[in-house]
Each structure stands twice: as C-alpha cells, then as structure tokens.
Amino acid sequence: MENLIKLPLHPSVKFIKKNSQGLIALNKGVGVLSHPNRIKDQGRSLLDARYNPKDEVYFWEDESGNILKVWLLNRLDSPTSGVIILSQDEALSVKIKEAFHKHRIKKTYHAIVKGSPRLRSGIWCQKLNLNPYNKVKSDSLISAKTRYDVVRNSKKDLSISFLKLEPITGRTHQLRIHCSQNNIPIVGDQTYGDFKFNRSMKKNYGVERLLLHSSNIELNYNWSNKVVQFSAKAELPDSFNQLIV
C-alpha cells in the first residue's frame, strides 16, 4: 500500500493513524458532518471533497490532476466527536463494512449524562423507532442493545455522571435514545435531552455541545491470509475533562 495520501481534512478533524493496508482513523470534531448531504455541505464535512453516497466514497483531484479516493466506513452524528475510519482501498472497505454489519467491531463511547443509572453497569435492551425523528408511537420498532458502565460521578457537579457506552447493535441515534429512555439524557442533546437542564449546564459551565464522544474502535480482519488487528483512540475533549474531575 502506498503512503498516506494528502487528505483535504476539515480544520476540526485530526489525523490519528493509518496502517499498511490503508485503513485510516481520524478524530472528528463537533459539528462536522461525516459526509455532505448536499453540495453546499462540502465545507462542513469530514473532507473538503466531493462525495458519492451510493458508493460511500470521497473523491478529489490532487495537484497533478489524479483522482484520489477514500471510502467512508462508519458515521458519527455531527454533534458527536471522536474516532471515525476510512479506507484508501476499495476491497478493504468492503471487508470492514461487512465486519460492521456482523457486529464484529468494538466501539467505545463516553458520555456525560444528567443523573446516574440505578445500577452501576448493565445492558439496555430496548426498542427504538425505525425513524428516530418520528416522535409519534408506531409499530415500526427495532431492538437495540447497549452496554453501559458508570465510570465515575462528577465531584464538580453531583447532578451529572460520566459513562462508558458500548453499542452492541448499531442503530441510528441508539446511545442518545437509550440514555433518554432510561432517564439519564446526555448533556447537550438538543433532540432527546432535557432542554432546561441543558440551559443550566450552558449557564453554569459553558457547555455548548453534545457530551458524547467516540473514544475507541477495535477490530480484526483477514487480509492476505493473515489476521490484522487495528485500534484507534481519540482522547477526551477538554469539555469533558473540565466536568468529570
């Protein structure tokens, strides 16, 4: 595999690592789109490049006029920060997407929530609406599982706690909805959160973002008859560290 191509990264996106097969890990900043939904979204996206939604691939021209491509392998909501991965190799992208589909990839998130769960650790197994934007009850529900652990309760503010979250299934907005369903909404969540509490956190501590962060991804895959291990970690943002002391 050739050396890392020069990626047209958004200013709020940082390079983490790349392996010899061309698997790339980036640290996505808050407010950055995983991919543009419209042409005018390009400047707000992970890469300042054109995007083909059918093939889930970014593409652009280098200084010599060569077309360069990277395939998007997972997504994060725009208000969520942290690890996101891409591939320089199309065949590798197919293999990694298959691993995601079969839930063979371990993803670890951290969140700061209002309150604290009744038990310090456990698994939530609750159904979600297939359309997370539809607040009306419907029969189109799908099962979702999330493993959670209370890492610590904040000494700075007893009304919040710091959680580790591991999605066992991968549904849209799963972590945000599960926290809300269990009466511990994520601080700063403008869709499923406690809006009054969010305002008080902004007033008291200057919190202006969703406090959900993709901290780590771990996966194994077969390549050239060998098992390759890959992991990438994104350190917690300062906005988390200031509250969990």
Side-chain angles (χ1 to χ4, degrees):
M1 171 60 63
E2 60 187 14
N3 292 331
L4 176 69
I5 56 181
K6 185 177 180 181
L7 299 170
L9 297 177
H10 184 282
S12 297
V13 176
K14 306 302 179 186
F15 175 78
I16 300 175
K17 67 187 294 187
K18 168 192 168 289
N19 72 3
S20 60
Q21 286 85 44
L23 191 56
I24 301 165
L26 303 174
N27 184 358
K28 187 185 83 66
V30 174
V32 177
L33 300 172
S34 295
H35 60 78
N37 297 305
R38 301 163 296 179
I39 293 177
K40 66 180 183 179
D41 291 334
Q42 183 173 310
R44 299 173 50 226
S45 300
L46 195 68
L47 303 183
D48 188 4
R50 297 177 66 186
Y51 182 75
N52 181 330
K54 180 177 180 294
D55 297 327
E56 299 177 304
V57 61
Y58 278 100
F59 60 99
W60 67 98
E61 287 188 11
D62 66 10
E63 295 176 353
S64 301
N66 301 309
I67 299 296
L68 302 180
K69 297 180 179 181
V70 287
W71 283 261
L72 183 65
L73 302 180
N74 71 310
R75 295 170 175 77
L76 296 175
D77 296 339
S78 64
T80 304
S81 56
V83 181
I84 193 165
I85 57 176
L86 306 94
S87 172
Q88 286 181 219
D89 185 275
E90 185 174 12
L92 178 61
S93 73
V94 172
K95 191 173 289 289
I96 301 302
K97 287 177 183 178
E98 180 183 358
F100 270 108
H101 182 70
K102 294 182 177 179
H103 310 299
R104 296 203 306 260
I105 294 179
K106 181 180 180 182
K107 295 178 286 184
T108 302
Y109 292 74
H110 284 94
I112 295 179
V113 301
K114 175 188 176 184
S116 185
R118 184 173 58 86
L119 300 176
R120 300 288 293 183
S121 63
I123 294 178
W124 294 319
C125 184
Q126 294 160 291
K127 292 185 176 182
L128 311 180
N129 198 308
L130 283 172
N131 180 0
Y133 300 101
N134 183 2
K135 300 302 180 71
V136 180
K137 291 183 179 180
S138 74
D139 296 328
S140 58
L141 300 176
I142 190 167
S143 294
K145 288 185 179 182
T146 300
R147 180 178 291 107
Y148 73 89
D149 292 278
V150 178
V151 179
R152 68 174 68 94
N153 295 99
S154 174
K155 295 180 181 178
K156 188 170 187 176
D157 190 322
L158 298 179
S159 67
I160 58 176
S161 55
F162 181 49
L163 268 59
K164 180 174 77 171
L165 301 169
E166 296 178 14
I168 299 171
T169 54
R171 314 302 186 195
T172 301
H173 292 184
Q174 175 177 317
L175 302 181
R176 296 166 64 181
I177 297 174
H178 268 173
C179 286
S180 180
Q181 286 179 332
N182 289 280
N183 300 311
I184 51 166
I186 298 174
V187 175
D189 194 329
Q190 299 300 322
T191 302
Y192 308 102
D194 183 321
F195 306 136
K196 182 179 179 180
F197 189 76
N198 289 343
R199 289 193 294 271
S200 70
M201 292 297 291
K202 181 178 180 179
K203 178 180 178 181
N204 295 333
Y205 304 111
V207 175
E208 295 187 292
R209 59 157 293 179
L210 173 72
L211 294 182
L212 178 63
H213 181 71
S214 172
S215 301
N216 194 57
I217 283 184
E218 300 175 40
L219 62 118
N220 298 327
Y221 60 91
N222 293 314
W223 193 258
S224 298
N225 297 318
K226 294 181 180 179
V227 176
V228 179
Q229 296 180 327
F230 184 87
S231 65
K233 180 179 181 181
E235 298 296 332
L236 285 175
D238 290 340
S239 51
F240 282 69
N241 294 320
Q242 292 169 2
L243 287 173
I244 62 176
V245 293

